[in-house]
Amino acid sequence: MPKPMPMPATMPVPISVNLGPDSYDVLVKRGILAEAGRYLNLARRVLIVTDSGVPARYAETLAGQCGESVIVTVPAGEASKSIESFTLLLRTMLRRGFSRKDCVAAVGGGMVGDLAGFAASAYMRGIDFYNIPTTLLSQIDSSFGGKTAVNFEGVKNIVGAFWQPRRVLIDPDLLKTLPPRQISSGLAEAVKMALTCDRELFELLEKEDITVNLDQIIVRSLRIKKSVVEQDEREAGLRRILNFGHTVGHGIESSLEMTDIYHGECVALGMIPMCGEQLRPRVKKVLLKCGLGRPVRYDWEKITEAALHDKKSDGDTVTVTIVSEPGSFELKEMKCLEVIRQARVCLEE
Ligand code: GLY
């Protein structure tokens, strides 16, 4: 049986995502994992999905608050975002007698959230999904908005579904165990939100101590994402701004696939050429402050190939986001080759 919960000392900051019948709250509070049973319906079967890189006690803390739970720990790394892992989750639920009333909870970063959310979307045509992200990148961006997927035949996120979580719990205390490079990688998404939508957040990143202001950075980023998702849940237009810097960023990431490079590190580099010339020095300074933006070895042939095969591109064109002033953006259709040419000139200078 779930243990009775002591009263929380402070209430979480709620961010309500209004999507009609699929509306839900993202709740931000330090220590909220330990009192998850107060905010999630855990008095049922819960499939807890985590990975080997996440401290095991996080999933165990959640399990201790569940009626009946099973923890599945997949190996850390992008290779686990696969049809095989997806099948493992479905098989586990089937064998454990999960019904439509039961649920899936992700305790991990973006890979775990995408995988667990996709399994929740498919089992019995969709069961409840909770997300408890444990990396800054997933806390700021990927843990909500409904994108779930696995990779297939070497193509990223090509098989998946839009499946909104029932609730998301953001516990910034979970970030204490993350290495600094993981924090930097997550900050790239905050810089993205700031540049496209929030001048004040950009100025905060520019002028203030980032560590001291981390909770504020998370909440402000979440409010931007909420607003974007509410306006364009299925990425028909506006939501593309959340891909700011990603055409070049993904290209760099794919070209360095076998090396130790993080998603946010690549996105940071990808944002620089998409900023107006006058803004670039400020952006580079902020990125440096976040531990980002250091040049890598660019393989422009591979980057071009990846950009042309990116599922966000439409044949040889792609809609990119251009930022000339922090807090404002322009969506522009460009030839992929021109985007890469521009990036090459800017990043090699
Ligand atoms: N991470 C981008 C999006 O949710 O659309």
Side-chain angles (χ1 to χ4, degrees):
M1 284 295 289
K3 296 188 186 93
M5 292 280 159
M7 279 306 287
T10 54
M11 296 308 287
V13 176
I15 291 150
S16 302
V17 186
N18 299 307
L19 295 170
D22 292 330
S23 298
Y24 55 94
D25 285 338
V26 178
L27 302 177
V28 186
K29 182 179 184 277
R30 285 189 179 264
I32 199 167
L33 172 64
E35 49 188 48
R38 184 175 300 284
Y39 302 104
L40 311 179
N41 173 6
L42 300 177
R44 48 180 165 169
R45 288 187 189 90
V46 185
L47 175 76
I48 301 173
V49 185
T50 189
D51 78 45
S52 57
V54 178
R57 66 178 185 279
Y58 293 172
E60 285 158 10
T61 300
L62 185 66
Q65 302 169 71
C66 295
E68 187 185 328
S69 64
V70 47
I71 299 176
V72 173
T73 307
V74 296
E78 191 68 11
S80 288
K81 207 169 138 173
S82 64
I83 292 285
E84 289 73 25
S85 306
F86 171 72
T87 310
L88 169 68
L89 302 187
L90 297 183
R91 190 183 307 121
T92 305
M93 287 193 275
L94 193 60
R95 289 190 179 163
R96 296 288 184 127
F98 272 56
S99 76
R100 298 202 68 184
K101 293 189 177 132
D102 297 321
C103 67
V104 176
V107 180
M111 180 277 283
V112 167
D114 279 10
L115 169 68
F118 185 39
S121 81
Y123 189 73
M124 293 191 169
R125 298 200 181 94
I127 62 172
D128 284 356
F129 171 52
Y130 297 128
N131 206 345
I132 306 180
T134 60
T135 62
L136 184 59
L137 194 141
S138 56
Q139 291 198 349
I140 280 181
D141 187 4
S142 66
S143 61
F144 82 101
K147 284 187 180 176
T148 74
V150 295
N151 306 330
F152 184 60
E153 303 274 312
V155 186
K156 267 173 98 93
N157 299 327
I158 198 70
V159 179
F162 279 98
W163 190 247
Q164 297 295 342
R166 280 269 166 249
R167 194 157 264 186
V168 179
L169 304 185
I170 310 270
D171 185 345
D173 274 349
L174 304 185
L175 306 176
K176 285 180 183 161
T177 50
L178 283 185
R181 264 185 79 197
Q182 281 267 13
I183 297 284
S184 295
S185 181
L187 284 171
E189 303 292 349
V191 175
K192 170 188 89 179
M193 305 284 188
L195 278 169
T196 51
C197 299
D198 188 345
R199 184 179 49 82
E200 276 179 33
L201 177 57
F202 186 76
E203 285 168 3
L204 185 148
L205 290 164
E206 245 179 344
K207 294 176 189 151
E208 307 295 333
D209 184 315
I210 289 175
T211 315
V212 171
N213 289 284
L214 200 55
D215 291 22
Q216 207 194 137
I217 291 167
I218 293 171
V219 169
R220 286 189 88 114
S221 300
L222 290 172
R223 290 201 174 116
I224 293 164
K225 173 128 186 197
K226 159 205 151 72
S227 162
V228 171
V229 168
E230 282 176 351
Q231 292 173 69
D232 179 19
E233 185 186 354
R234 296 288 171 123
E235 199 170 304
L238 178 71
R239 189 163 174 173
R240 291 182 189 170
I241 64 166
L242 298 181
N243 298 327
F244 176 49
H246 282 59
T247 300
V248 176
H250 271 158
I252 296 172
E253 198 174 1
S254 306
S255 73
L256 295 170
E257 209 167 30
M258 305 313 279
T259 67
D260 175 34
I261 189 93
Y262 290 9
H263 175 73
E265 292 172 334
C266 300
V267 168
L269 291 167
M271 286 189 285
I272 299 169
M274 298 295 114
C275 290
E277 227 168 300
Q278 302 225 305
L279 178 60
R280 271 182 218 152
R282 282 174 74 191
V283 173
K284 284 184 187 169
K285 228 167 155 184
V286 166
L287 290 175
L288 211 58
K289 189 174 167 190
C290 295
L292 296 162
R294 286 188 196 88
V296 294
R297 204 151 40 81
Y298 302 108
D299 180 336
W300 292 106
E301 212 169 295
K302 281 192 184 160
I303 296 170
T304 307
E305 199 180 312
L308 286 168
H309 289 105
D310 193 321
K311 72 179 190 318
K312 292 187 296 301
S313 64
D314 182 12
D316 62 348
T317 60
V318 63
T319 306
V320 292
T321 305
I322 309 282
V323 174
S324 302
E325 277 296 318
S328 65
F329 62 85
E330 183 199 341
L331 286 172
K332 193 170 164 189
E333 203 167 299
M334 282 178 77
K335 294 266 182 227
C336 292
L337 292 179
E338 179 54 22
V339 175
I340 300 302
R341 194 200 59 78
Q342 206 169 297
R344 185 173 187 166
V345 171
C346 170
L347 292 174
E348 297 277 12
E349 78 185 3

